[in-house]
Amino acid sequence: MPITYRPGTIDDSRVVFEIFHQSLIDLSQRIGVMAITNGNDPAVMASLWETRGPLFEHLARTAEQFWIAEDAEASKAIGYARAILRDGVRELTEFFVLPGHQSGGVGRELLARAFLPDGAKHRVIVATTDSRAQARYLKTGVYPRFPIYYFSRKPEPVSIPTDLTFEPLAESPETFDALRDIDLALFGHRRDVDHAWLMTDRNGFLYRRDGQPVGYGYTGVQRGPFALLDAADIPAALAHAETYAYSLGLDNFGIEVPLINKAAVDYLLLRGYQMDTFFAFFMCDKPFGKFENYICPSPPFFF
């Protein structure tokens, strides 16, 4: 079966979403966890595409590398890999091959094209626990640093004493400067293009103390990321985010938490949040960042 490789475009977004969906369902069955509840239901898939389509299109527009593998005889896409580059940090956002085409070299070729070894100060993957994919990632020189778990519950109004103020994000130079400074302080790089998209996809807030920006967070139907300069402010930020979700009448409030974020883990367990059985690893070529002050976007395609 001849395989060809071509650059992907935004017009491929639905096609690669279907590859992602089928591959994740297959992985769930192989490792005995439920990554997508009722994932084989066409209505669930249609609903997921409605909510995640904008994310796939954002990643297509802003990708550094985006490659699709095709069965040349059937003219059918069978796998894809995509990476973004943000201020010198390269992240593999997706790497999926359809069941029936795995372990035949397609993944190796996709990864070599999408996740380049040079030209970045850090290389990052938020990866599933699939042992075959893990072996490939390890060979590229990235290693697990901590797990990321999804915590969720039915939202309720929560009140925690705090001197923080919560200001809705506005697309202004001052706002982007504040977000940039927080990201630089915690991670050493900026990602303006992702914040610009996040503001269109979810409800963002800038956290201030005495008028000075000290953190940010995104909540609503879609949640995360959250970043706080002082980890002691994380419970107040999460209480505000859950209360906001409750005000929208949502049935579920969930976030993707690095388990090294002690302030978030302790608060969420005390509040009765449940941990999902499906989790991911944060992998990087060398340690960086203060992830004990951070909560990832959900879904965690990029950190």
Side-chain angles (χ1 to χ4, degrees):
M1 176 180 64
I3 305 297
T4 59
Y5 300 86
R6 66 169 177 83
T9 72
I10 193 169
D11 293 334
D12 295 304
S13 294
R14 181 60 189 257
V15 169
V16 298
F17 169 77
E18 291 174 358
I19 293 173
F20 150 78
H21 186 268
Q22 293 178 48
S23 301
L24 201 58
I25 293 298
D26 173 70
L27 173 63
S28 298
Q29 294 170 345
R30 285 192 283 111
I31 65 177
V33 300
M34 183 64 69
I36 303 175
T37 303
N38 298 322
N40 288 317
D41 185 338
V44 170
M45 185 171 179
S47 177
L48 276 175
W49 170 246
E50 183 177 350
T51 57
R52 296 191 179 181
L55 169 62
F56 275 72
E57 292 171 356
H58 167 65
L59 294 174
R61 290 190 187 97
T62 63
E64 180 197 26
Q65 299 289 337
F66 179 14
W67 289 89
I68 295 176
E70 293 184 327
D71 177 345
E73 291 181 351
S75 297
K76 175 186 176 183
I78 60 171
Y80 79 106
R82 180 156 53 194
I84 58 176
L85 184 67
R86 306 291 193 251
D87 198 20
V89 175
R90 177 174 295 123
E91 182 169 9
L92 185 73
T93 60
E94 300 129 283
F95 173 55
F96 296 99
V97 178
L98 285 176
H101 298 277
Q102 299 169 1
S103 301
V106 174
R108 180 183 64 246
E109 293 296 328
L110 284 170
L111 201 59
R113 288 167 168 80
F115 198 48
L116 304 178
D118 301 316
K121 61 185 178 183
H122 295 295
R123 299 165 72 240
V124 172
I125 307 173
V126 177
T128 70
T129 59
D130 185 347
S131 60
R132 293 176 297 184
Q134 281 288 325
R136 294 206 180 280
Y137 299 151
L138 292 168
K139 289 176 182 178
T140 71
V142 298
Y143 298 88
R145 184 171 172 193
F146 51 79
I148 299 170
Y149 270 84
Y150 184 73
F151 288 71
S152 65
R153 63 160 294 155
K154 184 177 178 64
E156 295 177 344
V158 188
S159 178
I160 290 183
T162 181
D163 60 349
L164 294 180
T165 60
F166 303 92
E167 173 187 303
L169 290 178
E171 293 190 51
S172 69
E174 180 191 8
T175 296
F176 281 106
D177 286 347
L179 297 172
R180 174 203 63 202
D181 290 345
I182 294 166
D183 283 340
L184 287 172
L186 294 183
F187 306 115
H189 78 282
R190 59 191 297 171
R191 45 187 182 167
D192 296 3
V193 67
D194 292 318
H195 282 296
W197 175 75
L198 287 164
M199 288 184 207
T200 70
D201 187 66
R202 48 202 77 188
N203 302 100
F205 291 87
L206 188 65
Y207 310 141
R208 294 183 185 269
R209 171 172 286 114
D210 298 326
Q212 297 302 310
V214 296
Y216 62 78
Y218 295 87
T219 186
V221 177
Q222 306 292 333
R223 275 86 61 179
F226 297 81
L228 285 301
L229 296 180
D230 185 345
D233 290 325
I234 288 173
L238 293 181
H240 170 265
E242 182 183 340
T243 301
Y244 187 87
Y246 171 82
S247 74
L248 298 179
L250 301 180
D251 291 329
N252 180 272
F253 176 78
I255 49 177
E256 305 278 356
V257 182
L259 286 197
I260 62 170
N261 187 334
K262 183 178 183 301
V265 171
D266 290 350
Y267 169 79
L268 295 169
L269 292 179
L270 187 64
R271 284 277 302 127
Y273 279 72
Q274 299 297 308
M275 296 173 66
D276 200 357
T277 55
F278 187 82
F279 69 95
F281 284 122
F282 179 86
M283 307 179 73
C284 56
D285 53 356
K286 51 189 177 232
F288 75 99
K290 295 183 66 176
F291 289 92
E292 63 272 23
N293 293 41
Y294 188 68
I295 293 167
C296 301
S298 183
F301 279 65
F302 57 88
F303 84 83

